[in-house]
């Protein structure tokens, strides 16, 4: 997947599997800054229902590193801030067989 560089003041959010199906997109460029813990609410504004139908079971990466969203929530306003140029990925669970 080739994703263009985000415009100034934006991050890139990549969608995979069920997240791609739900958004009907492979990526978005969203305005920043925002706390990582607010990502579900930010995406819910664009895609109503995504929190309960997709995001509840997804892993999140920021700049290719997996992030523990619950741990970040415990940090409050000191949590990870998504900044301009960051790449966030929404990764639904995968299974093998």
């Amino acid at each position: 997947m080739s994703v263009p560089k985000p415009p100034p003041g934006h991050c890139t959010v990549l969608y995979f599997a069920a997240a791609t199906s739900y958004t009907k997109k492979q990526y978005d460029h969203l305005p920043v800054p925002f706390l990582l813990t607010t990502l579900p609410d930010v995406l819910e504004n664009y895609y109503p229902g995504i929190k309960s139908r997709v995001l509840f079971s997804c892993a999140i990466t920021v700049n290719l590193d997996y992030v523990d969203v619950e741990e970040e929530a415990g940090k409050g306003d000191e949590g990870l801030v998504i900044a301009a140029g960051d790449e966030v990925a929404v990764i639904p669970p995968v299974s093998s067989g």
Side-chain angles (χ1 to χ4, degrees):
M1 160 176 35
S2 177
V3 178
K5 188 173 180 173
H10 288 70
C11 70
T12 300
V13 178
L14 303 175
Y15 304 115
F16 295 93
T20 299
S21 297
Y22 195 87
T23 63
K24 298 182 178 29
K25 294 182 176 180
Q26 293 184 332
Y27 67 90
D28 272 319
H29 295 305
L30 301 180
V32 292
F34 60 84
L35 285 169
L36 172 69
T37 54
T38 66
L39 179 65
D41 294 325
V42 170
L43 293 177
E44 183 76 12
N45 287 331
Y46 290 93
Y47 307 103
I50 195 169
K51 280 185 356 181
S52 63
R53 294 185 184 138
V54 178
L55 297 180
F56 75 94
S57 64
C58 290
I60 302 294
T61 66
V62 178
N63 299 324
L64 302 177
D65 291 323
Y66 280 92
V67 178
D68 184 333
V69 177
E70 288 182 22
E71 181 180 310
E72 289 299 317
K75 297 177 183 177
D77 290 341
E78 299 299 315
L80 179 62
V81 174
I82 304 303
D86 282 351
E87 180 184 87
V88 178
V90 177
I91 305 171
V94 292
S95 63
S96 62

